[in-house]
């Protein structure tokens, strides 16, 4: 339909008018915009500062722990210890002369206090120098009040041998502790027949018959072979049959002729002591106790003979230290061996009379770079409220002390030496006897070691090294500190402790019955050092003395759990610790400031258990099955 003409004209007029108004409005807006722009250009910029409060990053608070006073006093002379070790050194510089001898705390007479045995070496049979009397080991009876009297000849131990290590245990279950002493075999001139009335080898077993020792080596069958070099040794019940078996580590195959033929020199062509790398390795022995005072060597069938991967006919082991522990808490004792310049061994007990070697896959064979070290002494213990187990190994000069840690029962270890602080601080010295010891009774295990170099002229070629060296003492600072371990300075441990010596074996015991642990450091070619712990910190303690489950005096391998109002502490009865040495078999457990003991649980090898409710602290607790 068509629109009317008048409406169309009107609409056109309206549209035209709208265009006019729109154009005018646009011109006005443009003018305003130009004006505003010109005005803004004429103004100075105004800077507005806005301050915002930011939260600072939070850093975990750590403290620098204050080392407590734990002074040790050298009482060697005042205690009546006059022993001087004979290394046999006469200028030829033969490797066995560097190794020293072990030491042991034991209660040989059953009177309740700790006596001292010091293992001696001797002159070589080709040495024609005059001597007043052949050197022998020495046994000192504890008379109380830190006084000792020598009874070596009186008890039948005035035996001359090139002794090395010692083991203590009641192998015949007659109620008193017996002794096994390892030794270097070829103590003879070239072509000379080894003169021994007791079997073919150098090692000796001494049966304790009411405080007198009888040589039972031949009867027991534990002499070894004529050319053995026995080192650390210890009694253990590896098959859980109730009697004590015997493990004997061997070092290297050694003869005087081979040693002298090696071109071991310092500067200027001077003769030097040799390196273990130049000597073949040897297998350890495991003697199964068959009862009736007799043993059978079962090392091969038990899986302890590990061959060199490159030469299956040559033994890998060059063993110096050994200790035993139930690392996976299955009720069966395991074995860790410290080897010199080859990998360490970790033998897991398979509960069928055999072991499997797991050191590489479980992280204890090498250092963090996969290299073997010169491992000497070894100890193992439950740490960190019993949640972890640690293996400490003292290594050669310029190598850190190893501190392998596994949580729970995994047996999967990581070397935490650097992270815990012990590694960098222990690197320089040459470490031998290495021990866990709660020196201040705070419930946390500290670490000590006897140190000393092999080469008496080492400073000629290494300015950072000396022959005599100070023992190490690392205090366990606790979890709130920056590092777990820190070295104890002289003003806290005393001048006597840090006095330099050529340290070798190490052992610990409470010799004066005051509830803290004293120390014994053996030396090579010189006197030992008996150090009395004189700390007065007021921490509580509990001494647990455990009897064997089948009438034996020794309960080696028994586990002790102490639950207090402030936590749980786990320990084991284990005298075989350190290097060539034996500590007392009782467990002395520091309780710190705990005010009560809820219960003590003792578990013997094989699973027998006893629980003691709420015993008093600062006491001796005797536990029988």
């Amino acid at each position: 339909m068509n629109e009317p003409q008048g409406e169309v004209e009107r609409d056109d007029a309206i549209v035209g008018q709208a265009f006019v108004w729109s154009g005018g409005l646009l011109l006005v807006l443009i003018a305003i915009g130009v004006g505003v722009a010109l005005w803004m250009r004429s103004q100075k910029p105004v800077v507005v500062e806005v301050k915002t409060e930011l939260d600072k990053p939070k850093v975990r608070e750590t403290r620098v722990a204050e080392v407590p006073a734990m002074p040790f006093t050298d009482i060697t002379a005042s205690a009546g210890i006059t022993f001087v070790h004979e290394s046999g050194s006469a200028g030829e510089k033969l490797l066995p002369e560097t190794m020293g001898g072990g030491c042991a705390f034991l209660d040989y007479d059953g009177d309740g206090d700790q006596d001292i045995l010091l293992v001696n070496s001797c002159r070589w049979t080709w040495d024609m120098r005059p001597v007043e009397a052949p050197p022998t080991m020495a046994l000192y009876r504890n008379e109380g009040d830190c006084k000792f009297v020598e009874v070596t000849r009186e008890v039948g131990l005035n035996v001359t041998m090139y002794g090395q290590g010692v083991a203590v245990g009641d192998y015949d279950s007659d109620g008193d502790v017996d002794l096994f002493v390892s030794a270097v075999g070829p103590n003879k001139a070239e072509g000379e027949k080894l003169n021994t009335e007791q079997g073919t080898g150098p090692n000796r077993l001494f049966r304790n018959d009411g405080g007198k020792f009888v040589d039972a080596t031949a009867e027991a069958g534990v002499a070894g072979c004529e050319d053995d070099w026995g080192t650390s040794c210890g009694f253990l019940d590896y098959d859980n049959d109730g009697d004590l078996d015997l493990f004997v580590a061997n070092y290297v195959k050694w003869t005087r002729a081979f040693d002298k033929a090696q071109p071991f020199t310092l500067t200027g062509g001077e003769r030097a002591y040799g390196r273990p790398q130049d000597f073949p390795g040897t297998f350890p022995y495991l003697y199964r106790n068959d009862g009736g005072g007799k043993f059978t060597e079962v090392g091969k069938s038990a899986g302890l003979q590990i061959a060199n991967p490159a030469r299956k006919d040559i033994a890998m082991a060059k063993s110096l230290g050994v200790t035993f522990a139930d690392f996976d808490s299955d009720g069966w004792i395991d074995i860790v061996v410290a080897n010199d310049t080859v990998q360490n061994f970790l033998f897991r007990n398979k509960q069928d009379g055999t072991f499997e070697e797991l050191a590489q896959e479980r992280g204890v064979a090498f250092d963090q770079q996969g290299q073997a070290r010169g491992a000497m002494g070894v100890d193992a213990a439950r740490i960190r409220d019993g949640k972890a187990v640690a293996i400490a190994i003292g290594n050669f000069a310029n190598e850190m002390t190893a501190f392998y840690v596994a949580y729970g029962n995994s047996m999967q270890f990581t070397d935490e030496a650097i992270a815990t602080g012990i590694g960098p601080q222990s690197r320089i010295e040459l470490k031998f006897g290495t021990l866990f010891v709660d020196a201040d009774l705070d419930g946390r295990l500290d670490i000590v070691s006897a140190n000393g170099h092999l080469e008496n002229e080492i400073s000629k070629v290494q300015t950072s090294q000396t022959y005599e060296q100070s023992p190490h003492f690392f205090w366990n600072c606790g979890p709130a500190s920056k590092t777990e371990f820190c070295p104890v300075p002289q003003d806290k441990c005393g001048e006597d402790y840090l006095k330099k010596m050529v340290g070798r074996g190490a052992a610990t015991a409470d010799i004066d019955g005051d509830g803290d642990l004293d120390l014994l450091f053996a030396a090579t070619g010189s006197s030992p050092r008996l150090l009395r712990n004189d700390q007065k910190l007021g921490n509580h303690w509990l001494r647990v003395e455990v009897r064997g489950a089948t009438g034996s005096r020794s309960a080696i391998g028994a586990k002790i759990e102490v639950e207090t109002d402030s936590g749980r502490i786990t320990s084991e009865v284990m005298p075989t610790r350190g290097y060539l040495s034996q500590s007392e078999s009782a467990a002395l457990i520091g309780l710190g400031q705990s005010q009560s003991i809820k219960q003590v649980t003792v578990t013997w090898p094989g699973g027998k258990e006893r629980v003691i409710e709420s015993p008093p602290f600062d006491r001796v607790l005797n536990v029988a099955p």
Side-chain angles (χ1 to χ4, degrees):
M1 182 174 61
N2 293 328
E3 294 181 355
Q5 181 68 33
E7 292 292 325
V8 173
E9 292 177 354
R10 190 178 63 222
D11 291 340
D12 291 340
I14 292 172
V15 171
Q17 189 179 12
F19 273 115
V20 172
W21 281 102
S22 297
L25 180 60
L26 180 60
L27 291 174
V28 172
L29 291 175
I30 291 173
I32 292 173
V34 171
V36 170
L38 291 174
W39 176 82
M40 291 181 65
R41 289 183 64 182
S42 68
Q43 301 300 309
K44 294 182 178 180
V46 177
V47 178
V48 179
E49 294 185 1
V50 179
K51 294 184 178 180
T52 303
E53 293 292 333
L54 299 176
D55 291 333
K56 295 180 179 180
K58 294 182 179 180
V59 178
R60 182 176 66 90
E61 291 186 4
T62 58
R63 60 183 174 87
V64 177
E66 182 178 352
V67 179
M70 299 171 284
F72 282 83
T73 303
D74 186 347
I75 62 169
T76 312
S78 64
I81 307 297
T82 59
F83 175 86
V84 177
H85 179 263
E86 171 62 71
S87 70
S89 176
E92 291 187 322
K93 289 201 170 182
L94 303 175
L95 185 57
E97 298 164 2
T98 67
M99 293 303 175
C103 55
F105 284 113
L106 70 159
D107 182 9
Y108 87 95
D109 52 2
D111 65 354
D113 53 26
Q114 294 298 303
D115 312 301
I116 292 174
L117 180 78
L118 293 159
V119 178
N120 210 350
S121 302
C122 63
R123 299 277 182 92
W124 301 110
T125 58
W126 54 84
D127 185 351
M128 295 294 105
R129 292 176 298 164
V131 59
E132 289 186 10
T136 72
M137 69 186 84
L139 180 65
Y140 289 89
R141 185 178 65 220
N142 192 331
E143 299 288 279
D145 196 27
C146 293
K147 302 294 182 182
F148 292 80
V149 60
E150 186 180 351
V151 294
T152 311
R153 181 175 295 276
E154 175 185 324
V155 301
L157 291 177
N158 53 320
V159 177
T160 299
M161 56 193 297
Y162 205 98
Q164 295 282 269
V166 57
V168 177
D170 182 9
Y171 79 89
D172 55 358
S173 298
D174 66 350
D176 47 29
V177 292
D178 312 297
L179 294 172
F180 176 87
V181 180
S182 65
V184 178
N187 182 17
K188 60 184 186 299
E190 309 312 322
E192 178 187 351
K193 178 67 177 177
L194 187 66
N195 181 20
T196 176
E197 299 176 358
Q198 306 295 340
T200 61
N203 304 324
R204 299 289 184 88
L205 177 66
F206 298 97
R207 186 182 66 240
N208 188 340
D209 288 348
K212 306 289 184 179
F213 288 92
V214 177
D215 193 327
T217 313
E219 171 191 342
V222 294
C225 296
E226 181 178 319
D227 61 350
D228 284 341
W229 180 347
T231 55
S232 291
C233 46
F235 289 102
L236 73 161
D237 184 8
Y238 82 95
D239 51 4
N240 279 356
D241 64 352
D243 55 27
L244 291 180
D245 312 297
L246 175 64
F247 180 94
V248 183
N250 290 308
Y251 189 32
V252 296
K253 289 188 178 297
W254 177 86
T255 65
R256 177 195 186 199
F258 184 83
D259 197 330
K260 291 180 66 176
Q262 306 307 307
F264 303 133
T265 59
L266 290 171
T267 58
E270 298 176 40
R271 170 75 177 173
Y273 284 108
R275 309 178 310 159
Q277 293 97 321
D278 296 284
F279 296 87
T282 54
F283 294 122
Y285 292 137
L286 179 62
Y287 292 101
R288 185 188 64 219
N289 192 331
D290 296 329
K294 298 184 181 301
F295 292 80
T296 299
E297 205 287 303
V298 296
K300 183 176 182 178
S301 61
L304 300 183
Q305 293 191 1
I306 308 301
N308 189 314
R311 290 278 306 275
K312 298 299 182 181
D313 58 329
I314 297 178
M316 179 189 292
K318 298 180 181 182
S319 305
L320 289 176
V322 65
T323 191
F324 317 119
D326 182 7
F327 292 112
D328 52 3
S329 297
D330 64 353
W332 296 74
I333 204 80
D334 309 302
I335 303 172
V336 60
V337 178
N339 283 319
D340 190 5
T341 69
V342 297
Q343 71 155 82
N344 301 315
F345 293 149
L346 178 61
F347 293 107
R348 188 183 73 85
N349 195 322
K350 296 172 65 176
Q351 307 181 17
D352 59 0
T354 68
F355 295 82
E356 58 179 334
E357 204 288 301
L358 300 173
Q360 287 196 51
E361 65 181 83
R362 299 305 174 92
V364 300
F366 304 111
D367 66 10
Q368 292 178 334
Q369 287 71 46
Q371 301 297 315
R373 292 182 277 200
M376 309 293 180
V378 59
D379 198 4
R382 289 278 169 181
I383 62 170
R384 300 171 186 169
D385 298 324
K387 297 174 183 177
V389 62
I391 299 172
I393 298 179
N395 291 309
F396 201 77
N398 298 313
E399 296 176 342
M400 295 183 292
T401 292
F403 190 68
Y404 300 107
V405 178
Y407 279 88
N409 303 319
S410 66
M411 290 184 72
Q412 193 64 55
F413 291 86
T414 301
D415 192 348
E416 298 186 6
I418 295 176
T420 57
I422 191 174
Q425 299 283 354
S426 66
R427 186 179 63 84
I428 298 298
E429 290 77 14
L430 201 166
K431 288 74 64 181
F432 277 89
T434 302
L435 296 173
F436 286 105
V437 54
D438 186 359
D440 58 346
L441 302 175
D442 64 354
R444 300 188 299 268
L445 293 173
D446 315 303
I447 295 177
V448 302
S449 67
N451 305 329
H453 212 280
L454 305 180
E455 177 57 63
N456 55 350
E457 297 180 300
I458 187 62
S459 60
K460 290 183 177 180
V461 293
Q462 294 186 38
T463 57
S464 64
Q465 294 295 323
T466 58
Y467 185 44
E468 294 182 328
Q469 298 178 350
S470 296
H472 280 158
F473 187 177
F474 292 99
W475 179 60
N476 192 325
C477 312
S481 182
K482 290 182 178 179
T483 60
E484 190 167 356
F485 293 95
C486 61
V488 179
Q490 181 174 300
D491 65 327
K492 298 297 184 179
C493 65
E495 181 180 355
D496 287 353
Y497 185 95
L498 293 178
K499 184 179 179 181
K500 292 183 177 182
M501 65 183 299
V502 190
R504 293 297 185 260
T508 181
D510 181 7
I511 62 171
D512 49 3
D514 65 351
D516 55 29
L517 288 169
D518 311 294
L519 293 169
L520 177 62
F521 292 146
T524 182
S526 57
S527 301
R529 186 177 300 168
L530 181 61
L531 294 164
R532 186 185 64 213
N533 188 339
D534 289 335
Q535 64 83 29
K536 303 293 182 185
L537 297 171
N539 289 326
H540 297 300
W541 52 273
L542 181 69
R543 179 184 177 88
V544 185
E545 298 183 352
V546 185
R547 301 285 295 193
T550 58
S552 171
R553 176 84 172 275
S554 306
I556 294 171
K559 184 169 72 171
I560 303 165
E561 292 182 290
V562 179
E563 185 178 354
T564 72
D565 57 344
S566 57
R568 182 185 297 270
I569 301 171
T570 303
S571 183
E572 287 188 9
V573 175
M574 187 48 61
T576 303
R577 306 160 55 201
Y579 169 76
L580 304 179
S581 301
Q582 301 275 293
S583 293
E584 67 172 338
S585 60
L588 205 159
I589 299 170
L591 304 176
Q593 293 299 307
S594 298
Q595 296 303 305
S596 65
I597 301 174
K598 295 181 180 180
Q599 67 177 29
V600 175
T601 304
V602 176
T603 307
W604 283 264
K608 187 176 180 61
E609 183 179 285
R610 184 177 173 192
V611 178
I612 299 93
E613 301 288 348
S614 304
F617 49 66
D618 299 342
R619 297 288 189 277
V620 177
L621 179 63
N622 291 288
V623 183

